[in-house]
Amino acid sequence: MANRKTLSGGSAAFHGTRHAHARCVGRALGRAEELCRQRGARLTYMRRRVLELIWDSHKAVKAYDLLDRLSDSEKSVRPPTVYRALEFLMVHGLVHRVDSLNAFVGCSGSDEQHNAQFLICQECGEVSEMDGAMIGQAVARQAAEAGFNVRRQMVELHGECPGCAAK
Amino acid sequence: MANRKTLSGGSAAFHGTRHAHARCVGRALGRAEELCRQRGARLTYMRRRVLELIWDSHKAVKAYDLLDRLSDSEKSVRPPTVYRALEFLMVHGLVHRVDSLNAFVGCSGSDEQHNAQFLICQECGEVSEMDGAMIGQAVARQAAEAGFNVRRQMVELHGECPGCAAK
DNA sequence: CTGGAAATGTTACTTTATAACAATGCATTT
DNA sequence: AAATGCATTGTTATAAAGTAACATTTCCAG
Ligand SMILES: [Zn+2]
Ligand SMILES: [Zn+2]
Ligand SMILES: [Zn+2]
Ligand SMILES: [Zn+2]
């Protein structure tokens, strides 16, 4: 009842609890590996670990939650470590920061440079990335009307995902 | 060569340094006064003071900058005071929070409930609010395609304002 | 003038993020 | 293999942003 497959001009999918999430993770890590190899960037243990933790769910994750989850009883990981990994992952387009939540989410886009918009469910917390061409165009056009030169667009929509709407 | 007057579906204006800013402030305070009277809300000294400080420029202002500016050598104002004033002003639609900057900007919109988008100049820091109908519609449509029910939309565009683009 | 709610003051703390420098790891050259 | 050099991570400390809880004051209605 929830997801369509592919949508004109962009797609956004909510996954809910029951889905083959191992595939999502696999895809993300595979892409990271591939992309880093292409660019000669190093997907180190720490960076991969952070990426895995982020992909533990489709929700946005707080930096300090990552911090806690990375710290076992032996060793405690410090903020800069996490933030540096996040920085790396963001630079390479593997992770996005959701500004309205102060949190991070795995990039589910395929191509390199994309105008991502985020649908954020206020109920279940799931975040879905969508590449809405229409939105991008509308944004570009209206900004142009104001003589404004858009470099980076941030679109974060809070509301109810299909699953939670059908509660 | 910067501003047009009124634009189809919405407007956004950048002011630059030379303009009759007293009018902007006057308009904003007038509107606040009027609106609070209508609603029986109290525009207290502190709230008005914070609103004035925010309207000191068309840039987004950080809460702790307000804090500093409110604290004279005698008395130091504390965070809760500022955040409470900001809370009040936001609830009444007199001020917006710019999430991507952790900062606040005076609302230059006229009507009560509006879908505001923000154009943020990376050079001069000026922020312009725009009520882009096209963007709003595009957002609504594409979200609907994904079965998503939008409650709040956050659209913040970073780039170059007309003035700074013509540097 | 007085009782009570709204607003502000105050203290202390949480959350989020970064600066600066030290130690370590890893690859390439010698 | 040893030496070199840069990228990565560790460590300490602190900055920046925001909130909880309770005390005090203000202000208005009765
Ligand atoms: Zn999944
Ligand atoms: Zn949901
Ligand atoms: Zn002005
Ligand atoms: Zn500018």
Side-chain angles (χ1 to χ4, degrees):
Chain A
M1 64 171 110
N3 306 342
R4 324 253 168 111
K5 294 191 182 170
T6 299
L7 299 160
S8 61
S11 66
F14 283 89
H15 301 265
T17 44
R18 280 172 218 281
H19 75 281
H21 187 58
R23 287 199 182 176
C24 303
V25 177
R27 195 185 315 126
L29 289 179
R31 183 174 160 236
E33 202 93 47
E34 167 70 8
L35 204 141
C36 286
R37 202 165 40 69
Q38 279 175 20
R39 300 186 188 171
R42 292 170 52 195
L43 188 60
T44 60
Y45 173 76
M46 185 56 75
R47 290 164 178 175
R48 164 192 287 272
R49 189 114 175 60
V50 168
L51 187 57
E52 281 171 4
L53 285 175
I54 285 176
W55 274 101
D56 189 43
S57 79
H58 290 274
K59 300 177 185 173
V61 186
K62 304 238 153 199
Y64 275 73
D65 285 351
L66 294 171
L67 207 53
D68 289 343
R69 290 203 263 159
L70 285 168
S71 303
D72 54 25
S73 46
E74 302 280 318
K75 258 174 83 83
S76 91
V77 172
R78 306 310 174 101
T81 301
V82 168
Y83 281 102
R84 283 191 288 228
L86 288 170
E87 169 76 13
F88 173 89
L89 295 169
M90 285 199 294
V91 163
H92 290 283
L94 299 168
V95 155
H96 294 291
R97 194 191 135 89
V98 182
D99 286 301
S100 56
L101 297 177
N102 289 347
F104 303 83
V105 69
C107 171
S108 56
S110 43
D111 40 353
E112 309 229 343
Q113 273 298 59
H114 52 213
N115 285 334
Q117 294 106 27
F118 297 96
L119 304 179
I120 302 155
C121 180
Q122 293 172 329
E123 290 299 317
C124 66
E126 195 167 315
V127 176
S128 171
E129 181 177 348
M130 126 178 131
D131 187 349
M134 285 197 326
I135 295 177
Q137 282 173 23
V139 161
R141 285 221 295 168
Q142 289 219 333
E145 279 189 73
F148 190 84
N149 199 347
V150 178
R151 287 288 157 74
R152 189 163 77 90
Q153 61 168 269
M154 256 152 341
V155 178
E156 299 175 13
L157 309 175
H158 293 247
E160 282 177 319
C161 75
C164 293
K167 61 175 177 303
Chain B
M1 58 139 78
N3 305 343
R4 325 250 166 113
K5 296 191 180 170
T6 298
L7 300 161
S8 61
S11 66
F14 283 89
H15 299 82
T17 42
R18 279 173 218 281
H19 75 279
H21 186 60
R23 287 199 182 176
C24 303
V25 177
R27 195 185 315 125
L29 289 179
R31 182 173 160 239
E33 203 91 49
E34 167 69 7
L35 204 141
C36 286
R37 203 166 39 69
Q38 279 176 19
R39 301 186 188 173
R42 291 169 53 193
L43 189 61
T44 60
Y45 173 76
M46 186 54 75
R47 290 166 177 173
R48 165 191 288 273
R49 191 116 172 56
V50 167
L51 187 58
E52 281 171 5
L53 285 175
I54 285 176
W55 274 100
D56 189 42
S57 79
H58 290 274
K59 301 177 184 172
V61 186
K62 305 240 156 197
Y64 275 73
D65 285 351
L66 294 172
L67 207 53
D68 289 343
R69 291 202 264 158
L70 286 168
S71 303
D72 53 26
S73 47
E74 302 280 318
K75 256 173 84 82
S76 92
V77 171
R78 306 312 173 99
T81 301
V82 169
Y83 281 103
R84 283 191 287 229
L86 288 170
E87 168 76 13
F88 173 90
L89 295 169
M90 285 200 294
V91 163
H92 290 283
L94 298 168
V95 155
H96 293 290
R97 194 192 134 88
V98 182
D99 287 309
S100 57
L101 298 177
N102 289 348
F104 302 83
V105 69
C107 172
S108 57
S110 43
D111 40 354
E112 309 228 343
Q113 272 299 61
H114 52 213
N115 285 334
Q117 295 104 28
F118 297 96
L119 303 179
I120 302 156
C121 181
Q122 294 171 329
E123 290 299 316
C124 67
E126 195 168 317
V127 176
S128 172
E129 181 178 347
M130 125 178 133
D131 187 350
M134 285 199 320
I135 295 177
Q137 282 171 23
V139 162
R141 285 223 294 166
Q142 289 220 332
E145 278 190 72
F148 189 85
N149 200 346
V150 178
R151 288 286 157 73
R152 183 168 80 89
Q153 60 168 272
M154 184 272 230
V155 178
E156 298 176 11
L157 309 176
H158 291 245
E160 281 176 318
C161 76
C164 293
K167 62 178 175 304

